[in-house]
């Protein structure tokens, strides 16, 4: 397997997108999959490297990356850029995703000769699922298939107490369960959601998504996610809902990654099969 890291400077707000490209040795250009992490995730968290390796082994160009404002800087393992995290809006994440996809379309990307820019798929976990869906809805001509795991179904997913602090103080905090670190969220994040209420209304827009969609949902996920997954599946005309019994929000995976769980293995297999079916040359 081939692997190459990249770093792109967006030229504003000191924003840098760092990522990795994995792929097998290919005889012809392959579909590319952009893997979007969630709210407190990052490209090297838990299952993401394993997922990317498995998708590459299946014949895809798999791209993992850190959103430019996700709070992870050059360290790559710790949240050292808390001011950026506090301002990490959906709009900025959408800009990051658009930037990367445009790089692929222009051929200015690692292993560009191995990528078929006409076959682009999006994968997202949790908040990354929401970002994948929003982007696919905004760019129906570019994105050919989307798969999400335990995805948010609404942009304003913050806990009520965090929202209350933001409203009263202009800043709220969420805890990193693994480290106990408090991560700040500023009012600008909430204002961005309000100013883009229609654009970020995932459930309302899903009837306009006319590409294949795989919704993988764990039965032991956080409260509200199962209900949201079923509602999303009902609203998208090409959606497939795949329930995984006993799976929690991270399919049983932890960070640092310890081992493949049966739930994670099932999720990866379902996702790989989905993209193989819908990103083959005959389907696109």
């Amino acid at each position: 397997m081939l692997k190459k890291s990249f770093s792109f400077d967006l030229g504003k707000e000191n924003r840098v997108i760092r990522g990795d490209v994995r792929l097998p040795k290919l005889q012809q250009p392959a579909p590319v999959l952009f893997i979007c992490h969630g709210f407190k995730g990052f490209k090297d968290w838990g299952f993401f490297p394993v997922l990317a390796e498995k998708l590459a082994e299946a014949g895809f160009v798999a791209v993992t990356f850190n959103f430019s404002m996700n709070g992870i800087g050059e360290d790559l393992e710790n949240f050292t850029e808390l001011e950026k995290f506090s301002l990490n809006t959906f709009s900025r994440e959408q800009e990051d995703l658009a930037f990367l996809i445009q790089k692929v379309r222009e051929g200015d990307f690692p292993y560009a000769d191995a990528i078929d820019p006409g076959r682009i798929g999006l994968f997202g976990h949790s908040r990354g699922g929401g970002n994948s869906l929003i982007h696919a809805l905004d760019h129906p001509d570019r994105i050919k298939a989307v798969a999400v795991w335990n995805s948010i179904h609404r942009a304003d997913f913050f806990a009520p107490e965090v929202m209350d602090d933001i409203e009263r103080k202009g800043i709220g905090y969420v805890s990193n369960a693994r480290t106990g670190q408090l991560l700040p969220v500023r009012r600008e994040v909430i204002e961005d959601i309000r100013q883009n209420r229609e654009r970020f209304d995932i459930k309302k827009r899903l009837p306009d998504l006319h590409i294949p969609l795989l919704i993988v949902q764990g039965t032991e996920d956080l409260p509200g996610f199962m209900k949201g997954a079923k509602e999303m599946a009902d609203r998208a005309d090409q959606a497939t809902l795949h329930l995984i019994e006993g799976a929690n929000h991270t399919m049983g995976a932890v960070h640092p990654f310890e081992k493949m769980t049966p739930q994670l293995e099932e999720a990866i297999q379902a996702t790989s099969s989905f993209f193989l079916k819908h990103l083959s040359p005959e389907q696109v």
Side-chain angles (χ1 to χ4, degrees):
M1 180 184 301
L2 303 174
K3 177 184 175 183
K4 186 177 292 186
S5 297
F6 64 83
S7 178
F8 289 119
D9 190 329
L10 272 70
K12 58 181 178 180
E13 299 180 302
N14 196 27
R15 287 163 59 185
V16 177
I17 304 174
R18 298 178 177 88
D20 301 299
V21 184
R22 295 176 175 85
L23 70 161
K25 293 183 179 180
L26 301 165
Q27 299 301 314
Q28 57 189 10
V32 58
L33 303 176
F34 289 92
I35 298 172
C36 303
H37 64 74
F39 180 46
K40 292 178 282 186
F42 47 95
K43 71 178 180 67
D44 296 316
W45 187 94
F47 62 68
F48 287 109
V50 174
L51 169 64
E53 289 169 6
K54 295 295 185 182
L55 291 173
E57 289 171 2
F60 299 100
V61 178
V63 180
T64 54
F65 67 97
N66 287 334
F67 284 108
S68 64
M69 300 283 278
N70 79 328
I72 300 287
E74 294 181 6
D75 181 285
L76 296 182
E77 284 285 336
N78 297 290
F79 290 95
T80 58
E81 299 182 343
L82 296 186
E83 183 61 23
K84 286 184 179 180
F85 184 96
S86 74
L87 298 171
N88 189 25
T89 61
F90 276 96
S91 289
R92 289 187 172 96
E93 288 178 323
Q94 288 297 309
E95 287 178 358
D96 290 350
L97 197 46
F99 180 93
L100 291 178
I101 290 173
Q102 187 60 29
K103 284 287 185 181
V104 164
R105 287 164 59 88
E106 293 172 350
D108 185 17
F109 206 76
Y111 303 120
D113 291 344
I115 298 174
D116 180 352
R119 291 187 285 162
I120 298 174
L122 298 181
F123 168 91
H125 171 253
S126 194
R127 173 167 165 160
N131 267 308
S132 298
L133 291 168
I134 292 168
H135 199 84
L137 285 159
D138 284 351
H139 303 280
D141 58 324
R142 296 186 181 184
I143 309 304
K144 303 305 181 184
V146 180
V148 299
W149 290 3
N150 294 337
S151 176
I152 62 168
H153 59 280
R154 51 185 292 175
D156 55 342
F157 62 88
F158 299 98
E161 60 270 21
V162 176
M163 291 291 288
D164 184 59
D165 281 344
I166 293 173
E167 295 289 3
R168 292 187 299 108
K169 306 173 184 178
I171 189 170
Y173 292 88
V174 296
S175 177
N176 183 335
R178 177 173 59 91
T179 64
Q181 184 181 21
L182 293 179
L183 306 173
V185 180
R186 295 192 180 277
R187 192 190 308 277
E188 184 173 336
V189 174
I190 305 305
E191 290 301 320
D192 178 63
I193 295 171
R194 290 173 177 162
Q195 291 167 10
N196 293 277
R197 189 175 302 277
E198 292 295 319
R199 182 186 177 201
F200 297 161
D201 192 335
I202 298 168
K203 284 199 300 182
K204 184 178 179 181
R205 293 186 66 192
L206 274 177
D208 294 326
L209 186 70
H210 302 302
I211 59 173
L213 167 62
L214 175 66
I215 300 172
V216 177
Q217 180 59 51
T219 61
E220 301 302 317
D221 196 2
L222 302 168
F225 277 76
M226 175 69 82
K227 181 175 183 289
K230 291 179 177 178
E231 290 174 350
M232 289 194 294
D234 287 341
R235 295 184 68 83
D237 62 11
Q238 294 192 49
T240 299
L241 177 60
H242 183 109
L243 300 182
I244 298 186
E245 291 296 326
N248 64 7
H249 194 59
T250 60
M251 304 298 172
V254 296
H255 185 81
F257 187 77
E258 293 180 355
K259 62 180 180 179
M260 183 73 74
T261 67
Q263 296 87 353
L264 179 59
E265 190 170 5
E266 181 179 342
I268 291 175
Q269 180 57 48
T271 302
S272 179
S273 297
F274 168 79
F275 281 125
L276 283 170
K277 177 180 179 180
H278 295 292
L279 292 182
S280 67
E282 294 78 18
Q283 295 293 325
V284 176

